[in-house]
Amino acid sequence: MKLQQLRYLIAIVRNYLNISMAAESLYTSQPGISKQLRLLEEELGVELFSRNGKHLSGITPVGMQIIAKAEKILQEVNNIQILAEEYRDDRCGGLSIATTHTQARYALPLVIKGFRERYPSVTLQIHQGSPAQIADLVRTGQVDFAIATESMELFEDLLMMPCYVWRRCVLVPQGHPLALVDHLTLQDVARYPLVTYVFGFTGRSQLDEAFRVAQLKPQVVFTATDADVIKTYVRLGMGVGILAYMAYDPSVDRDLVRLDAGRLFSMNTTRIGFRRGTFLRCYMYDFIELFSSHLTRERICVVENMQTLEEIDEFFAGVELPVR
């Protein structure tokens, strides 16, 4: 059994059992991967995949177990390589983050600026996506950290730590009737067409729950994953915007009025996390603390031994999270 065979095996799984796609992702040939898969199955004496003619159609029960162990083996191999890099030069390397547009655009810029000043030789990559895409990128080892708010059930096999809580705002053009309301209510907001996030993004589920509890059925006429897109359609008069409070830029959005909706909707918690068993380099601990100052290296080391989100939340129960 060779490590290369295990890498081929995992690549096949990550590419939806398509050997051609797996070969392309590894910059190798399809016949080469097919041959190594056949040799691996012959050595193990079991079939890892079910087949429909020449095509892989599913993963066998024993294949599922072997794939899980192969992923752990490759993660440990990666940890060995990272450990060696840390001792060669603890200020060089790479850091990749998967998150949503709102976090990338409004929460991360100052953090990344400060990090780059401290670690100019560390390359940074940010991948934007849905919560499912973010979780998958970290789970499969394609990126180091996930930063997310929604759908924590997708992150159960990651260590997700609370960073900060954030509130929403209602955004309207200058001169809109809501801008004249002294004490904004859900009933006031529900009278107008709404422009907001796609379900599953940036706290959208809590927004829907607030209207449901108030027995209101708002007319959501447009949704997007990008806060800047939402603001564009508010400017066009398509509807009233509901988005993260931090997504309003006073210097850029002067033509819009931001109304604090913190009383109307529950707060959301943004978290940062990584795979269990990941070897974190010194600059990775520093990045997390720059993003959220209460996430010190000492606290993260304690979290690394925890198994559930509930344990993590209990550990941080006495910490007052910043509000954005």
Side-chain angles (χ1 to χ4, degrees), residues 96-108:
S96 52
I97 302 155
T99 189
T100 61
H101 168 270
T102 297
Q103 301 295 333
R105 169 68 177 82
Y106 297 101
L108 283 172

Side-chain angles (χ1 to χ4, degrees), residues 1 3 5-7 9-10 40 63-77:
M1 187 187 308
L3 284 175
Q5 291 174 328
L6 299 184
R7 291 191 179 97
L9 175 62
I10 299 306
L40 179 60
M64 293 289 288
Q65 297 181 59
I66 290 172
I67 288 164
K69 293 186 179 299
E71 287 180 328
K72 291 180 180 178
I73 290 169
L74 292 178
Q75 182 178 359
E76 286 304 313
V77 169

Side-chain angles (χ1 to χ4, degrees), residues 1-11 26 32-33 35-44 48 66 69-71 73-74 77:
M1 187 187 308
K2 302 175 182 177
L3 284 175
Q4 190 73 307
Q5 291 174 328
L6 299 184
R7 291 191 179 97
Y8 288 168
L9 175 62
I10 299 306
L26 295 172
I33 288 189
K35 178 182 178 182
Q36 290 303 318
L37 174 60
R38 185 173 66 255
L39 290 173
L40 179 60
E41 288 182 320
E42 288 175 357
E43 180 181 349
L44 296 175
L48 303 176
I66 290 172
K69 293 186 179 299
E71 287 180 328
I73 290 169
L74 292 178
V77 169

Side-chain angles (χ1 to χ4, degrees), residues 11 33 42 127 186 198 245-246 305:
I33 288 189
E42 288 175 357
H127 303 258
L186 281 177
V198 171
Y245 193 89
M246 61 183 167
N305 295 313

Side-chain angles (χ1 to χ4, degrees), residues 162-167 267-270 291-294 319-324:
C163 300
Y164 63 88
V165 294
W166 55 269
R167 60 195 189 278
M267 295 283 195
N268 291 90
T269 301
T270 290
F291 186 60
S292 194
S293 60
H294 64 275
V319 177
E320 185 175 352
L321 301 180
V323 179
R324 296 184 182 177

Side-chain angles (χ1 to χ4, degrees), residues 207-266:
L207 183 150
D208 290 349
E209 177 66 10
F211 283 113
R212 188 193 66 79
V213 170
Q215 297 183 331
L216 296 170
K217 293 184 178 180
Q219 182 188 7
V220 179
V221 295
F222 181 85
T223 60
T225 61
D226 185 324
D228 293 329
V229 172
I230 292 172
K231 287 186 282 186
T232 295
Y233 284 88
V234 172
R235 289 184 171 98
L236 291 174
M238 183 171 285
V240 169
I242 303 179
L243 64 166
Y245 193 89
M246 61 183 167
Y248 177 86
D249 186 331
S251 61
V252 175
D253 302 322
R254 291 190 300 270
D255 58 325
L256 299 175
V257 178
R258 177 174 63 179
L259 309 173
D260 190 348
R263 296 181 302 101
L264 305 185
F265 307 103
S266 60

